[in-house]
Amino acid sequence: AMAAPLKVCIVGSGNWGSAIARIVGNNVQSMQKFASTVKMWVFEEIVNGKKLTEIVNTEHENVKYLPGYKLPKNVVAIPEIEEAVQDADLLVFVVPHQFIHKLCDQMVGRVSQKALGITLIKGVDEGPGGLKLISDIIREKMGIDVSVLMGANIANEVAAEKFCESTIVSLIIDRLVVFQSLKNTVYQQLTVLDCFDWVRLLGTLKNIVAVGAGFCDGLCCGDNTKAAVIRLGLTEMIAFAKIFCKGPVSTATFLESCGVADLVTTCYGGRNRKVAEAFVKTGKSIEELESEMLRGQKLQGPQTSAEVYHVLKQKGIVDKFPLFTAVYQICYEGKPVQEMISCLQSHPEHN
């Protein structure tokens, strides 16, 4: 008997979610294994007097978060999360990490335990037991298998169909095709590094470094200084991973696309860098800039720096992470931005 076609649901529809929906929507149409309709959960809001879901379903474009790029007609926007995920075989999570708890609570009981999740969410969550990875939260709350996908990708470039280092398309699709028969296998050729807990941390920590890079841009420091931020940022990322991760940390992974490439991309592009530069030039608060510049998207870097700072403080090792700490103090404690530079000069790396 033919296996029933697999149903895909994309949980999230912002910049990233819409870019991924284009890719998945186009791909499932040519593959017998998949149901042709891809459901996309859209947080309902009113844009130009119309419901966003209505706009997506009639104009096939997310005019708010990914304007200028058409979505395939088989991608259907659904405002109720319960309805969107009902009977899905594969869930692709792309929402800001602040929303994941609430969404998982709403999805419990709607999704079969045989379903598979793929998360593209950057971020960690600070709970009573310390840091928790987003994939673990989904896994625990929903009881489904979750793998993690990261790499050097900026949503608009993905949408523009530029080649991305982790070639998301084949990754997601291969993952979908094989997930039924081969659960829990790590596909080396796909560099799906979900065997290592801490790889997921990299995607989060790099946002802090990007904020530092943005501060340097705001101070017009030049590329040498920015290179120092990136290099020292990477050493702090590695040191952090070694302290907080279960199991061995192989430095080689930091040279994969999810490490260095992702870090460099984010420090030269990306919203964390952009907002941090504006923070220096305008003197406005992070919150103000977030609402002005990001049209409702959330900034991950500053918030992550706060989460990381609290954890470092608990362990009494703040002084080992001057770059992470400087970013936190500049964002939240009114420390002058120039301290970014002195933190580089006095970095324990150099002494």
Side-chain angles (χ1 to χ4, degrees), residues 243-348:
I243 294 169
F244 289 96
C245 295
K246 304 183 278 293
V249 170
S250 116
T251 315
T253 307
F254 289 87
L255 302 176
E256 296 267 355
S257 114
C258 63
V260 151
D262 201 8
L263 177 62
V264 172
T265 303
T266 312
C267 288
Y268 278 90
R271 54 183 104 153
N272 289 286
R273 188 213 64 79
K274 198 163 77 189
V275 174
E277 180 178 25
F279 175 86
V280 181
K281 293 191 162 159
T282 63
K284 294 178 178 174
S285 74
I286 293 287
E287 288 75 17
E288 281 176 272
L289 292 168
E290 188 173 62
S291 63
E292 274 175 35
M293 295 173 70
L294 298 180
R295 302 200 307 267
Q297 290 178 318
K298 286 281 170 235
L299 200 59
Q300 309 292 18
Q303 194 179 336
T304 304
S305 78
E307 287 160 5
V308 164
Y309 180 77
H310 295 311
V311 175
L312 294 174
K313 210 168 162 178
Q314 270 172 336
K315 270 208 182 318
I317 49 175
V318 167
D319 53 336
K320 289 194 171 68
F321 294 89
L323 188 126
F324 288 177
T325 303
V327 168
Y328 164 74
Q329 291 174 333
I330 293 165
C331 287
Y332 296 107
E333 294 187 345
K335 199 172 194 173
V337 179
Q338 287 69 20
E339 297 282 312
M340 198 63 232
I341 309 304
S342 48
C343 116
L344 299 177
Q345 288 157 348
S346 63
H347 201 282

